[in-house]
Amino acid sequence: MTAFTFTLRQEPPQRVDLSALTPDRLAGKSLADIEKIEIGTTRASIKVGDLFKIAQGDLKTLRYEGGSSRFDLVGAKLLPGFSLHVDGDVGLQLGRLAKGGKITVAGSAGAYAASGNEGAHIEIKGDACELLAAPLAGELAGMSGGRVVVRGKAGARAGDRLRRGILIIEGDAGEDLGSRLIAGTIIALGKTAGRVGYLNKRGSLVLAKHPKLSATYLDCGPQELTFARLLARSLKADSAAAASLLSVKLRRFGGDTAVYGKGEILTPL
Amino acid sequence: MQGIVRNGVRIDDSFAEAFPMAATGLIITAPTRKWANQAAATATGYATSVIGCDCEAGIDAELSEDETPDGRPGVRLLFFAFSAKGAEKALVNRVGQCILTCPGTALYSAFDGDLKIKVGDSMRQFGDKWQMSKAIDGRRFWRVPVMDGEFFVESQVGVLKKCVGGGNLLIMGADWESTMRATEAGVEAIHAVPDAIMPFPGGIVRSGSKVGSQYKGMSASTNDAYCPTLKGVTRTALEDDIGCTLEIVIDGLTDEAVRVAMRAGLKAIIDMGPEKGAKRVGAGNYGGKLGPFHYHLKDLLP
């Protein structure tokens, strides 16, 4: 069966909230019902039918033909077993609080992508803006599970307060990558900037390029780590480059000793 | 006992009687084959029979680099106990004393099982707050710093509740050498069967027991009916041409695993023939009332 498809008619005139349009929430609704769902975020009304041409299909997989940086909350609270694909860009909070499933975005994502993600596998083929996988203001923890792969660049403070899960950034990372890291793993293949791993408690940062480290990270020397071998095998399908980075001997810097200090930054020798 | 004969080997019209047990499985890896095998030998030591040990354990298979989770040489170990709780206690003690201590090793759960027991979760505090947790593909691991690097251990290991312990073959031959030759061939064949182990030394036990004893308070004693030195003076099960009996005991994760293992062992013993190997094959049981699993030799013939 073909995927359930939303084809974009024209660029949305305002930001739209697409959190209602996940496969699990559309189940059992008729075409007419779906077309009537209100997705506007201003006083001017905008309905699904105004913006999209719908082709019904298998609700296990949902496709957006055409995207926009005004598409907010795409795949929010997605459940395991469903998948969602966007053939274009998305706006804020992609996959926010997703419980599982798979989200792929062919374009770039706005700020707070994968915020609070609990288990979804999210792939962004373009770039991600600032605060990737980070908590919203006032929340104590960021992403708590799942896996996020960004093929392009990531903005500032990617992985802020990451609690669990794996974040892979294949391009360059913005300032303060992995700030306030609680636990989990961040792998960055490009350049890093600013205070990398600032106030990291127990998280692991694996960096392909040597970062400028804060004085609160202490050199523990080169190490053979069994966990890296297992992780490398697990990541092979998502990012061959990340897998090969984890397959070499890594130097371990323990920190951030400005706080709890049980985390680490691993870099090639 | 009117027998069936296959390739000159007499097969008793008898059956092996086996019991329900709980089992757990581990995959142990190490940087070299030597140290993976060493960890396996140490962790499965003193684990022949639940009568006197905390569990019955053995090596199910050696795993190549492609078959282990981390790409290092490994072994798959199985541990059998009367209850899931007993298995947990035995496993935690054994991992703490034999795997944590063994250079280079890492530990993974071999299967998901019916329920989980905490292995890494009991071991992590050895790290004295320096331990780190890693969740990979839905499984949780602990990295415990030790003097040669890190002990990488899965937090929980699966337990299967409905496993089988006590499948067996009694191999009888003219003398020790020929009987051993046949029994070793059987052991080798059973080693190739997945999900089954032979917990006794080298897979073989020579002190088969019967229920009860002439001494008060002893629940089991030597199986005099199969002792060649008592052939004349006791109610013997041995004919004139039998001078030695050896037994292979098999524990398996499933009824089918034990069946396949017994069939493989039987075939290897029969293929060797009575001149070079065994003259007769039997099986041990307690009349069929104690154990729910019965393996009739006549159903397992090649």
Side-chain angles (χ1 to χ4, degrees):
Chain A
M1 236 174 136
T2 51
F4 198 101
T5 309
F6 291 95
T7 307
L8 188 64
R9 293 180 198 272
Q10 74 277 327
E11 175 70 15
Q14 53 165 301
R15 300 204 74 86
V16 287
D17 173 356
L18 298 179
S19 59
L21 306 189
T22 58
D24 46 314
R25 253 157 277 158
L26 291 177
K29 287 199 167 72
S30 70
L31 189 62
D33 287 342
I34 294 170
E35 283 182 334
K36 269 186 256 166
I37 296 172
E38 184 66 55
I39 51 174
T41 52
T42 68
R43 281 192 289 180
S45 159
I46 178 165
K47 293 192 167 64
V48 172
D50 303 336
L51 200 56
F52 297 106
K53 203 166 77 205
I54 300 174
Q56 281 180 295
D58 182 10
L59 264 178
K60 279 260 171 230
T61 53
L62 196 146
R63 282 182 70 88
Y64 287 97
E65 292 290 347
S68 157
S69 59
R70 286 175 165 166
F71 278 16
D72 293 345
L73 289 156
V74 172
K77 295 186 180 166
L78 188 70
L79 295 177
F82 296 99
S83 71
L84 200 152
H85 177 84
V86 185
D87 203 12
D89 295 340
V90 294
L92 304 174
Q93 299 184 36
L94 167 78
R96 162 88 181 149
L97 296 176
K99 296 236 180 309
K102 195 169 162 53
I103 301 174
T104 46
V105 174
S108 294
Y112 291 104
S115 167
N117 177 23
E118 292 173 16
H121 184 292
I122 299 176
E123 182 185 358
I124 299 164
K125 297 217 164 114
D127 300 334
C129 284
E130 64 275 6
L131 291 156
L132 172 69
L136 296 187
E139 290 178 340
L140 294 179
M143 184 165 105
S144 63
R147 190 175 288 188
V148 176
V149 186
V150 179
R151 303 285 174 209
K153 294 180 294 195
R157 301 189 77 144
D160 184 46
R161 284 197 167 173
L162 181 74
R163 180 144 176 262
R164 211 178 293 120
I166 299 165
L167 185 57
I168 302 169
I169 300 164
E170 292 197 334
D172 296 342
E175 283 197 337
D176 299 1
L177 174 70
S179 57
R180 307 186 292 176
L181 207 55
I182 299 168
T185 307
I186 298 176
I187 300 162
L189 303 177
K191 287 189 295 222
T192 53
R195 301 164 295 183
V196 182
Y198 181 58
L199 304 184
N200 173 10
K201 285 184 183 149
R202 289 187 303 273
S204 300
L205 284 144
V206 190
L207 308 176
K209 304 263 190 308
H210 279 260
K212 208 172 144 252
L213 284 181
S214 122
T216 50
Y217 274 92
L218 307 174
D219 191 357
C220 300
Q223 305 290 341
E224 295 264 14
L225 299 163
T226 312
F227 100 92
R229 302 175 67 102
L230 188 77
L231 193 56
R233 287 192 156 202
S234 161
L235 296 181
K236 209 171 246 172
D238 286 325
S239 172
S244 61
L245 169 62
L246 281 160
S247 306
V248 300
K249 203 167 192 178
L250 297 166
R251 180 177 290 273
R252 183 175 194 270
F253 294 88
D256 185 347
T257 54
V259 284
Y260 192 54
K262 302 287 162 69
E264 63 190 356
I265 290 178
L266 303 169
T267 63
L269 300 185
Chain B
M1 280 200 279
Q2 152 60 22
I4 310 154
V5 178
R6 281 285 190 285
N7 192 25
V9 181
R10 308 196 293 276
I11 309 295
D12 291 2
D13 184 11
S14 179
F15 61 94
E17 185 174 354
F19 299 87
M21 291 184 101
T24 71
L26 300 180
I27 290 171
I28 309 289
T29 66
T32 60
R33 164 61 52 201
K34 178 188 168 182
W35 284 101
N37 288 356
Q38 182 61 60
T42 310
T44 57
Y46 184 45
T48 53
S49 164
V50 281
I51 294 169
C53 307
D54 56 356
C55 67
E56 297 180 4
I59 298 170
D60 181 25
E62 284 192 5
L63 304 176
S64 70
E65 286 87 336
D66 310 326
E67 296 169 308
T68 57
D70 59 20
R72 307 191 299 173
V75 283
R76 187 173 192 259
L77 309 180
L78 298 180
F79 298 80
F80 292 79
F82 276 136
S83 64
K85 233 183 167 59
E88 173 164 18
K89 206 172 159 213
L91 201 66
V92 169
N93 283 335
R94 282 165 184 274
V95 169
Q97 296 304 311
C98 308
I99 309 289
L100 168 67
T101 56
C102 184
T105 55
L107 181 157
Y108 308 93
S109 176
F111 44 76
D112 287 339
D114 306 318
L115 48 94
K116 301 276 183 192
I117 57 178
K118 291 179 176 177
V119 172
D121 285 345
S122 332
M123 224 53 61
R124 70 191 161 114
Q125 275 139 338
F126 184 76
D128 199 21
K129 295 200 174 177
W130 292 102
Q131 71 270 24
M132 281 176 99
S133 150
K134 279 279 165 267
I136 300 171
D137 294 330
R139 294 161 73 178
R140 191 154 177 256
F141 302 89
W142 287 99
R143 296 165 56 192
V144 181
V146 284
M147 296 197 308
D148 76 342
E150 280 180 342
F151 176 43
F152 191 54
V153 53
E154 189 151 358
S155 68
Q156 301 191 325
V157 171
V159 180
L160 286 166
K161 287 201 283 193
K162 289 182 180 155
C163 301
V164 181
N168 64 75
L169 292 170
L170 288 166
I171 298 99
M172 290 162 267
D175 50 29
W176 196 88
E177 273 164 9
S178 56
T179 314
M180 179 52 87
R181 205 177 294 127
T183 313
E184 281 179 336
V187 166
E188 204 182 313
I190 295 170
H191 261 310
V193 176
D195 298 341
I197 58 155
M198 295 161 285
F200 283 98
I204 305 172
V205 49
R206 60 108 177 248
S207 62
S209 60
K210 66 171 181 292
V211 179
S213 154
Q214 299 196 53
Y215 291 102
K216 247 190 252 169
M218 248 180 102
S219 56
S221 61
T222 192
N223 197 352
D224 51 277
Y226 286 89
C227 294
T229 53
L230 304 177
K231 250 194 307 196
V233 293
T234 191
R235 189 196 288 265
T236 191
L238 306 179
E239 297 89 342
D240 288 346
D241 63 341
I242 305 296
C244 175
T245 309
L246 294 170
E247 185 176 359
I248 300 175
V249 175
I250 301 157
D251 294 341
L253 291 185
T254 58
D255 179 39
E256 186 59 21
V258 175
R259 198 178 300 280
V260 171
M262 281 181 65
R263 181 172 283 143
L266 204 53
K267 182 179 186 311
I269 293 160
I270 289 171
D271 284 352
M272 188 177 277
E275 300 307 321
K276 212 174 144 205
K279 292 189 181 300
R280 182 181 151 200
V281 181
N285 62 62
Y286 309 92
K289 286 186 185 137
L290 290 178
F293 302 100
H294 297 167
Y295 304 97
H296 288 269
L297 294 182
K298 61 176 190 286
D299 301 336
L300 301 172
L301 291 172

